[in-house]
Amino acid sequence: MNGSTTALPAVRVGADGRRRVDARAVLRLAAPLMVTNAIQAALNLTDTWFIGRISTEAVAAMGSIYWLMTAVIFLLGGVGFAVQSFVSQAYGGGRRVRAAQAAWNGIWAGLACWPLFALVAWSGVALLRPFSLDPSIQGLAIAYWEPRMYGAVLGTLGWAMMSFFNGIGATRITLTVAVVTLLANIPANHYFMSELGYGMAGAAYGTNAAQALGLLVGAAFFLGPRYAGRYRTRLAWRPTPSIIRRQLAVGLPVGVTYAADVLGVALMQMMVTQVGKVGAAATQVVMMLTSLAYMPTLGLASAGTTVVGQAIGAGDRDWAAQIGTFVTRCCAGLMLGMALLLLLLSPWLLPGFLAGGDASAGEAIALALLLLWPAAAYQFFDGLYFGSSFALRATGDTAVPARTALLLSWLFFLPLAHTLVFTAEQAWVPGLPQAGLGALGGWIALMAYAMLLGTLMYRRWRSERWRRIDLWDR
């Protein structure tokens, strides 16, 4: 059953009477989110820049744990991502109080994850021991890991709260919070790393402090008179087990999807780090640079979650299918353009992220320039992956994408990376064929994996099996 055209997001009617996507309306919604995610990339680059002032070993240490750390945060924070799906559908259906309830229950579920984050922080040495890292690199990695994991719950709470604003289309508030966080991160890093002399640990403390301030700013908006009046945000705070169960049913697979993806990358970086610190440092810098491509695209994809969810909430799944496909294709095109831009600008950008006086810096920069080529090759498919997976998230179709990402990461990407990165003497699993390509082999494996994952996720979206899912009554 089709909903009213006037109630649908980003729709315009042409002279022929046919509905078309209002690209400008999508852009107005997406632009603050694109800037928000670009700011997140800047936060990552800020940490990398500060850590790069310590040594190439410090950058390598960051690289050895960056994706492992991100995988843990995604896995335990998936319920925060699910909030946007519930809020957008509630908003599309005109149920404002239900939207506030979804946000609050996401916050309660996020708080319940803190003991798990604390356990992971305490287990850092045991988690890294199997990877045989150089002792100096492992020491630096643990110095960052522990305080960052203790404070990671702040990110989960922030996702839940910002997902409320994204779901109702108030994306400028999300941007405001991101700007505050970025502006706070720079002096916080300087204070904890330099003034207090905490070094690597100081970068983690600085990030935690900046996220805490951003969360407070978001809470001021959420509980302020505007949203308290329209959405009853001050009255909808009580935990509702049925809503939490539904959000977990959607959010946990989302967390698994991204955790499987980034954990595979984390283990690939571990392999590269074991081969040598130059490859590890080069890989970390390229990872940070490619985030300049995918972070803005994540903003566009997040806008896709909002408009798809609002269309479903308004009762028009045909429009949800049309606008979801439009946003996904835009994500792929944006990633392709950003990849070309990175290839052009990388000779000027790369030298800024490694200490000039370090003897290994020149070698790491030269290798990073080579690694950017396979990295650029898969950006289009990453766009398909982001756009499709975010659209599927809006519908509640998250279990099959999670299984797809998990199987591809563990049964295809990691075995291929192991074969391409290591020599026979370095291999974790003896007896397998080994190409010994080092960091380049890892990036070739990542390129193949991203191309396959993006293609399969787009096919899942286009199959439209999500039409049978009722998110709020599942």
Side-chain angles (χ1 to χ4, degrees), residues 256-258 260-262 265 378 380-389 392 400-409 412-413 445-461:
V256 169
T257 299
Y258 297 121
D261 189 23
V262 300
V265 177
Y378 70 74
F380 174 84
F381 295 91
D382 246 8
L384 290 179
Y385 167 58
F386 291 136
S388 300
S389 62
L392 289 167
V400 171
R403 289 196 294 270
T404 300
L406 189 62
L407 291 174
L408 277 180
S409 179
F412 174 74
F413 170 50
L446 181 56
M447 175 184 69
Y449 163 70
M451 288 179 171
L452 186 56
L453 181 61
T455 300
L456 292 177
M457 207 66 72
Y458 184 63
R459 288 186 62 185
R460 177 69 184 182
W461 166 252

Side-chain angles (χ1 to χ4, degrees), residues 43 47 144 148 154 181 185 188-189 192 202-212:
L43 281 170
D47 284 351
Y144 186 88
R148 187 67 191 94
L154 295 167
T181 304
N185 192 53
N189 267 307
F192 285 104
Y205 288 124
T207 298
N208 291 343
Q211 285 192 333

Side-chain angles (χ1 to χ4, degrees), residues 33-49 66 178 182 185 284-285 287-298 338 353:
L33 295 176
M34 294 169 71
V35 177
T36 296
N37 283 279
I39 288 172
Q40 181 59 54
L43 281 170
N44 295 338
L45 289 170
T46 299
D47 284 351
T48 302
W49 186 89
Y66 179 80
L182 175 64
N185 192 53
Q284 174 63 12
V285 173
M287 286 291 183
M288 293 298 98
L289 283 178
T290 54
S291 70
L292 293 173
Y294 72 72
M295 283 297 185
T297 307
L298 286 175
M338 292 296 291
F353 294 100

Side-chain angles (χ1 to χ4, degrees), residues 80-106:
F81 292 125
V83 169
Q84 185 177 354
S85 306
F86 286 82
V87 170
S88 62
Q89 288 200 19
Y91 179 86
R95 302 168 181 174
R96 292 181 175 180
V97 175
R98 179 176 277 192
Q101 288 177 327
W104 270 112
N105 282 278

Side-chain angles (χ1 to χ4, degrees), residues 255-445:
V256 169
T257 299
Y258 297 121
D261 189 23
V262 300
L263 186 57
V265 177
L267 292 175
M268 183 273 280
Q269 283 197 260
M270 289 287 190
M271 297 177 197
V272 171
T273 301
Q274 181 177 324
V275 171
K277 68 178 182 180
V278 170
T283 291
Q284 174 63 12
V285 173
V286 172
M287 286 291 183
M288 293 298 98
L289 283 178
T290 54
S291 70
L292 293 173
Y294 72 72
M295 283 297 185
T297 307
L298 286 175
L300 179 57
S302 183
T305 301
T306 296
V307 293
V308 169
Q310 289 179 357
I312 292 174
D316 196 329
R317 292 177 183 258
D318 290 339
W319 183 244
Q322 184 174 340
I323 198 168
T325 299
F326 173 84
V327 173
T328 297
R329 291 173 178 173
C330 288
C331 287
L334 177 60
M335 290 286 280
L336 179 60
M338 292 296 291
L340 295 175
L341 187 62
L342 278 179
L343 287 175
L344 289 174
L345 297 180
S346 57
W348 293 273
L349 294 175
L350 285 171
F353 294 100
L354 292 166
D358 194 308
S360 303
E363 189 178 353
I365 290 170
L367 180 57
L369 287 170
L370 175 63
L371 299 182
L372 272 170
W373 286 97
Y378 70 74
Q379 297 303 308
F380 174 84
F381 295 91
D382 246 8
L384 290 179
Y385 167 58
F386 291 136
S388 300
S389 62
F390 275 61
L392 289 167
R393 183 194 304 176
T395 70
D397 185 8
T398 56
V400 171
R403 289 196 294 270
T404 300
L406 189 62
L407 291 174
L408 277 180
S409 179
W410 288 90
L411 300 183
F412 174 74
F413 170 50
L414 286 176
L416 182 60
H418 186 279
T419 294
L420 296 180
V421 171
F422 289 135
T423 64
E425 293 76 19
Q426 298 164 335
W428 291 347
V429 181
L432 296 178
Q434 303 298 152
L437 298 179
L440 179 60
W443 281 92
I444 292 173

Side-chain angles (χ1 to χ4, degrees), residues 110-152:
L111 284 171
C113 290
W114 187 84
L116 296 176
F117 279 117
L119 178 63
V120 171
W122 178 78
S123 305
V125 174
L127 290 172
L128 295 182
R129 187 178 296 121
F131 302 108
S132 303
L133 298 177
D134 181 275
S136 62
I137 290 179
Q138 179 167 317
L140 289 167
I142 292 297
Y144 186 88
W145 173 275
E146 291 183 349
R148 187 67 191 94
M149 284 294 99
Y150 280 118

Side-chain angles (χ1 to χ4, degrees), residues 186-205:
I186 297 172
N189 267 307
H190 174 74
Y191 177 73
F192 285 104
M193 294 179 72
S194 300
E195 298 297 327
L196 296 184
Y198 289 166
M200 277 293 278
Y205 288 124

